[in-house]
Amino acid sequence: MRKELDELKEKQKYFKLEDDVFAGSSIESFTISEKIVKVQIGWFNGLNNLKSISLPSHLLLNNFAVIDNKILIQKELNNHKKLIDIIIFGCRDIKSVSIPDEVQKIDESAFNGCDKLSSVTFGKNSMLELIEKLSFSNTALEEIEIPAKVSQIGDEAFSCCKQLHDVQFAKNCSISMIGNKAFFDTSLVEIVIPSSVTSIKKCAFANCSRLEYITFALNSQLIYIGEEAFMGTPIREIEIPSNVSK
């Protein structure tokens, strides 16, 4: 019994931040406690006034890392039991971001609503693989180049980025899927879909009121275009790849 009590006390020393835990708060600075071992998606809901994140020095090589007191990175084991870096939050007043090469995932809603964020850059050796749902939606992004190792752009990842007019994909990119409403209601004028893309989901480019030109790269592997993928666009002409079945 004593051993079980000791184990219970040990577990109680650590905790997770659940979603909406700060809802309605006006917090401007936040320090990650050594007792926090994990944060859930949505933990930052309500932190619209947060301007600074910090870590105790002894935590810098533990579960979390912070960039410029503005971006919070969580370290997690992936499906292959390998520790990876995931950007889980950016302060809502951030204006520009340079994503470290070692980051492999940008988590759901990480920069959603950062309405001053106009510039996001990636290094030539970026290891980024996943851009998750709503990760950059409702930002002031004007242009972006998707790194070569990104395999998926999640639902609404760049939706309602009304100033986003230029999206480029790195050479030899491996992206296979563009999610639902991924670029919904942006200012794209033209887009070249890489040959590696196999699926464009529902409303992926819908309501892009300036989008006139869509080009599919040579040897396109595209097999699926979702409903209303290009609804509400002034596309002048489009040549659908022969492999598309729907």
Side-chain angles (χ1 to χ4, degrees):
M1 175 66 77
R2 179 58 183 271
K3 180 180 179 182
E4 292 176 351
L5 287 174
D6 288 343
E7 289 177 351
L8 179 60
K9 288 180 181 179
E10 184 67 23
K11 289 180 180 178
Q12 290 176 338
K13 291 180 181 179
Y14 304 99
F15 60 93
K16 300 177 182 179
L17 290 183
E18 303 289 348
D19 58 340
D20 296 320
V21 67
F22 296 111
S25 72
S26 57
I27 296 172
E28 294 190 0
S29 64
F30 183 75
T31 299
I32 299 292
S33 165
E34 62 183 13
K35 294 185 178 182
I36 297 174
V37 295
K38 184 178 176 62
V39 298
Q40 302 290 92
I41 292 174
W43 70 276
F44 49 78
N45 292 340
L47 287 178
N48 296 331
N49 297 311
L50 187 64
K51 298 178 180 178
S52 176
I53 307 172
S54 59
L55 293 175
S57 59
H58 60 282
L59 281 186
L60 294 180
L61 296 177
N62 203 323
N63 292 341
F64 300 97
V66 168
I67 303 174
D68 298 330
N69 294 110
K70 292 291 187 183
I71 298 173
L72 182 61
I73 293 176
Q74 182 167 276
K75 298 175 183 291
E76 286 188 0
L77 292 174
N78 63 11
N79 294 333
H80 304 291
K81 305 300 182 183
K82 180 181 178 182
L83 197 64
I84 64 171
D85 286 1
I86 303 171
I87 290 182
I88 59 173
F89 178 77
C91 289
R92 282 357 191 194
D93 66 340
I94 197 167
K95 296 179 180 179
S96 63
V97 178
S98 179
I99 307 294
D101 285 350
E102 59 269 22
V103 169
Q104 290 183 260
K105 178 180 175 181
I106 299 177
D107 216 357
E108 180 177 329
S109 296
F111 296 101
N112 181 15
C114 294
D115 56 10
K116 296 180 177 65
L117 179 60
S118 61
S119 173
V120 174
T121 56
F122 303 92
K124 293 182 179 180
N125 298 313
S126 174
M127 297 172 63
L128 186 67
E129 296 180 359
L130 294 173
I131 298 176
E132 291 285 12
K133 177 181 179 182
L134 292 164
S135 50
F136 291 103
S137 63
N138 294 287
T139 63
L141 282 178
E142 297 178 8
E143 58 185 24
I144 192 164
E145 180 173 345
I146 307 298
K149 291 187 177 181
V150 171
S151 62
Q152 296 184 10
I153 296 178
D155 296 348
E156 302 181 65
F158 296 94
S159 67
C160 299
C161 293
K162 296 183 183 297
Q163 299 178 59
L164 182 61
H165 61 83
D166 186 22
V167 173
Q168 302 289 329
F169 294 89
K171 292 181 179 179
N172 302 315
C173 66
S174 56
I175 184 168
S176 62
M177 191 272 286
I178 297 175
N180 298 320
K181 292 187 174 182
F183 295 98
F184 178 86
D185 200 17
T186 62
S187 292
L188 290 174
V189 176
E190 60 181 330
I191 186 80
V192 177
I193 307 296
S195 60
S196 58
V197 172
T198 60
S199 177
I200 297 175
K201 299 295 187 178
K202 183 177 180 179
C203 295
F205 295 93
N207 280 29
C208 293
S209 60
R210 299 177 59 194
L211 183 59
E212 296 185 2
Y213 304 100
I214 296 177
T215 304
F216 296 95
L218 293 175
N219 302 313
S220 173
Q221 300 175 41
L222 188 66
I223 58 176
Y224 176 82
I225 298 178
E227 296 179 5
E228 301 175 342
F230 304 107
M231 179 188 71
T233 65
I235 295 174
R236 295 188 175 186
E237 63 178 71
I238 183 170
E239 184 176 345
I240 305 296
S242 59
N243 293 329
V244 175
S245 58
K246 183 177 180 180

